[in-house]
Amino acid sequence: MRRRIAAAIGSVALVGATAFGFAQTATAAETGPQATYLWLFQHDDFGGSSKNFSGDDHDLSNTFWNGTSSRVDNGASSMKNQTSRDVALYQNVGCSGDNYFARANSVDADFSNNSFDNKASCVDFR
């Protein structure tokens, strides 16, 4: 009888450990692909339309908010940098003029506090 109880407890422990291991893997996989983008948002607090970037875009005048025909140029008010790289935003196409620096894995819910609201015209990954 004790053998059966010990075997049952061992089986439950093995199944629980296996399930826990799968949960850890799924969580890591879910965050991996999401962590490859800089997201710009049209409004404060990550509201309105959004646009994701995985690399440089030196001319936002020909880049559109996801699912719209509205240009991103001079229209961003908040950002989430979910990449492991720093990103510089510039006021002028071609990456010149006033700039904003987004550290890797950072967020900013309001560009107004940095005097960069509705100014981004260039995205430059570092």
Side-chain angles (χ1 to χ4, degrees), residues 29-106:
E30 287 173 3
T31 58
Q34 294 173 354
T36 59
Y37 295 111
L38 165 75
W39 289 89
L40 294 181
F41 296 88
Q42 193 174 25
H43 301 303
D44 295 344
D45 300 316
F46 321 110
S49 298
S50 63
K51 178 64 180 166
N52 57 312
F53 301 86
S54 59
D56 297 342
D57 188 335
H58 293 176
D59 186 358
L60 295 181
S61 68
N62 58 16
T63 302
F64 301 92
W65 295 110
N66 291 335
T68 75
S69 59
S70 298
R71 288 183 170 84
V72 174
D73 189 40
N74 296 318
S77 293
S78 58
M79 72 85 199
K80 291 182 181 182
N81 184 0
Q82 297 176 322
T83 73
S84 60
R85 298 173 63 190
D86 296 335
V87 178
L89 304 176
Y90 290 90
Q91 183 178 9
N92 301 319
V93 169
C95 298
S96 65
D98 289 345
N99 60 64
Y100 172 94
F101 196 72
R103 292 273 180 210
N105 300 303
S106 66

Side-chain angles (χ1 to χ4, degrees), residues 96-124:
S96 65
D98 289 345
N99 60 64
Y100 172 94
F101 196 72
R103 292 273 180 210
N105 300 303
S106 66
V107 298
D108 189 345
D110 185 357
F111 284 166
S112 296
N113 60 356
N114 297 303
S115 300
F116 205 75
D117 195 36
N118 298 314
K119 287 188 176 182
S121 293
C122 174
V123 174
D124 188 38

